[in-house]
């Protein structure tokens, strides 16, 4: 491994934009399909991987929801989550904030608790085994109704101590954040923090809505903010974090090539951008692969990489003490290099 790769893998970092259902590798998908007698649309792991050629967000989501159908019992969610934590640990991740999509499972008759308990058990095991700390973020599927999201929020209320925040994912275009204003208002009253996908495929107007109506603490993706200089200025002034996912953006054709990605421009404008893997089993890489691709494509310096790692800690939902500790560890790592 050359030294920049060592630097990228070794620097302590947080991952803040990770859909647990998007870490389902084809091998595990086939093993679970076999376990439960579920028939998959593809004949082999190779055929399935070969089908991961997307034109846009929706073409990916169709495969992602079909794949998630093999997740049926608590052990499946546990195996999925623990496999992700093992990969994250190898990439120098010290803290994760994981999205899960309960509606993807409750819609097909799997109990809310089955997903939640399996994921939580793995997070506890991962903390013990790898020292990775965690928060859970419950995402509402924006292609479903606001009433459905409200019912999902109500299902989560008994588990509020286990869920740090709510989020918003799935098909962005035609489903603006404003559709969920009342749900996020209720979530806020119940004590949840919030985040939302906005400005991945949707316009800058959706980012304004996420900020002003949903009152989020972070914008997931947000890369289309660049089309509105006033918005860029505001995001910089407010120190609003963006959880950017570069390999995802290229796979879903938000950018045609990694060399075209705007992350370096946003970083140089002083935005609090972070690097994340989104759905690593589908987009060709875990978090360190995302840093590496960017480093090569945009010629990032070690200072840039260190800033991205600091941003990931800063933008996380851990305590001020824990932030201080990890920022100190990052400084030690950088000066030792
Ligand atoms: N965007 C929107 N919804 C999603 C994504 C994404 O990148 N991944 C999983 N659900
Ligand atoms: Zn996402």
């Amino acid at each position: 491994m050359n030294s920049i790769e060592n630097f990228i893998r070794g620097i302590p970092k947080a991952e803040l934009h990770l859909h647990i259902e998007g870490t389902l590798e084809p091998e595990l998908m086939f093993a679970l399909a076999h376990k439960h007698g579920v028939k998959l649309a593809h004949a082999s792991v190779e055929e399935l991987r070969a089908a991961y050629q997307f034109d846009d967000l929706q073409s990916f989501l169709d495969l992602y929801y079909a794949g998630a159908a093999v997740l049926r019992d608590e052990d499946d969610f546990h195996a999925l989550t623990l496999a992700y934590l093992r990969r994250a640990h190898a990439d120098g991740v010290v803290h994760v904030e994981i999205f899960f999509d309960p509606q993807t499972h409750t819609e097909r008759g799997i109990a809310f608790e089955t997903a939640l308990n399996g994921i939580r058990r793995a997070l506890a095991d991962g903390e013990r085994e790898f020292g990775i700390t965690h928060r859970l973020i419950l995402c509402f599927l924006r292609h479903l109704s606001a009433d459905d999201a409200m019912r999902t929020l109500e299902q989560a209320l008994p588990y509020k101590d286990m869920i740090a925040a709510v989020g918003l994912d799935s098909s962005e275009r035609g489903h603006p954040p404003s559709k969920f204003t009342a749900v996020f208002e209720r979530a806020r009253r119940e004590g949840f923090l919030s985040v939302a996908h906005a400005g991945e495929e949707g316009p800058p107007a959706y980012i304004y809505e996420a900020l002003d109506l949903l009152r989020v603490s972070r914008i997931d993706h947000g890369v289309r903010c660049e089309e509105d200089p006033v918005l860029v200025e505001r995001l910089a002034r407010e120190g609003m974090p963006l959880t950017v996912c570069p390999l995802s953006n290229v796979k879903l054709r938000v950018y045609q090539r990694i060399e075209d990605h705007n992350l370096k421009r946003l970083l140089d404008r002083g935005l609090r951008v972070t690097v994340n893997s989104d759905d690593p089993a589908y987009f060709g890489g875990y978090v360190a692969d995302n840093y590496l691709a960017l480093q090569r494509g945009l010629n990032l310096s070690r200072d840039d990489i260190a800033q991205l790692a600091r941003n990931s800690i800063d933008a996380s939902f851990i305590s001020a003490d824990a932030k201080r500790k990890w920022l100190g560890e990052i400084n030690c790592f950088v000066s030792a290099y």
Side-chain angles (χ1 to χ4, degrees), residues 68-128:
V70 303
L71 298 164
R72 308 201 57 84
D73 64 30
E74 210 181 289
D75 286 345
D76 301 345
F77 287 94
H78 178 269
L80 175 75
T81 307
L82 198 60
Y84 161 68
L85 292 169
R86 190 167 289 118
R87 301 286 294 255
H89 179 61
D91 280 1
V93 172
V94 297
H95 174 74
V96 294
E97 301 194 351
I98 289 183
F99 298 135
F100 76 119
D101 289 345
Q103 289 154 297
T104 298
H105 314 302
T106 52
E107 275 211 314
R108 51 191 183 85
I110 308 297
F112 181 92
E113 289 77 10
T114 299
L116 180 67
N117 293 341
I119 294 168
R120 278 186 40 80
R121 186 152 56 80
L123 289 170
D125 290 348
E127 182 157 6
R128 210 174 317 108

Side-chain angles (χ1 to χ4, degrees), residues 17-19 99 169 197 200 220-221 245 248 278-279 283:
H17 185 151
L18 184 283
H19 302 264
F99 298 135
D169 65 2
H197 284 54
E200 176 186 20
D220 295 316
H221 294 294
C245 307
S248 163
D278 209 4
D279 301 280
F283 298 149

Side-chain angles (χ1 to χ4, degrees), residues 37-255:
V38 173
K39 178 129 181 56
L40 294 173
H42 296 88
S44 66
V45 163
E46 294 69 34
E47 215 181 273
L48 178 58
R49 275 222 168 81
Y52 291 175
Q53 308 287 338
F54 312 114
D55 307 316
D56 56 12
L57 177 57
Q58 193 59 51
S59 61
F60 153 69
L61 289 171
D62 293 342
L63 273 180
Y64 163 86
Y65 293 126
V70 303
L71 298 164
R72 308 201 57 84
D73 64 30
E74 210 181 289
D75 286 345
D76 301 345
F77 287 94
H78 178 269
L80 175 75
T81 307
L82 198 60
Y84 161 68
L85 292 169
R86 190 167 289 118
R87 301 286 294 255
H89 179 61
D91 280 1
V93 172
V94 297
H95 174 74
V96 294
E97 301 194 351
I98 289 183
F99 298 135
F100 76 119
D101 289 345
Q103 289 154 297
T104 298
H105 314 302
T106 52
E107 275 211 314
R108 51 191 183 85
I110 308 297
F112 181 92
E113 289 77 10
T114 299
L116 180 67
N117 293 341
I119 294 168
R120 278 186 40 80
R121 186 152 56 80
L123 289 170
D125 290 348
E127 182 157 6
R128 210 174 317 108
E129 213 172 310
F130 310 120
I132 298 182
T133 56
H134 50 83
R135 296 286 186 276
L136 252 187
I137 302 173
L138 181 164
C139 278
F140 303 114
L141 299 184
R142 68 204 302 158
H143 68 276
L144 300 178
S145 70
D147 283 349
D148 208 308
M150 192 67 97
R151 279 192 293 276
T152 303
L153 175 61
E154 283 162 3
Q155 273 183 304
L157 293 179
Y159 310 105
K160 76 170 165 184
D161 296 349
M162 306 173 185
I163 299 169
V166 297
L168 191 60
D169 65 2
S170 192
S171 323
E172 188 178 3
R173 286 202 194 104
H175 302 286
S178 51
K179 178 175 163 185
F180 298 94
T181 304
V183 181
F184 275 62
E185 157 78 36
R186 173 85 193 274
R188 195 164 52 250
R189 269 192 281 121
E190 298 286 353
F192 295 97
L193 295 166
S194 70
V195 298
H197 284 54
E200 176 186 20
E201 282 192 346
Y206 286 18
I207 301 177
Y208 282 106
E209 287 189 7
L211 296 171
D212 295 329
L213 303 179
L214 305 190
R215 308 196 16 209
V216 296
S217 300
R218 300 193 291 253
I219 298 287
D220 295 316
H221 294 294
V223 289
R224 284 194 60 193
C225 68
E226 210 180 18
E227 295 163 28
D228 182 337
V230 174
L231 177 58
V232 170
E233 167 61 32
R234 173 177 173 186
L235 293 169
R237 194 177 58 246
E238 294 180 0
M240 177 58 59
L242 303 186
T243 62
V244 177
C245 307
L247 290 176
S248 163
N249 292 155
V250 174
K251 270 288 200 184
L252 302 187
R253 305 264 158 231
V254 177
Y255 298 99

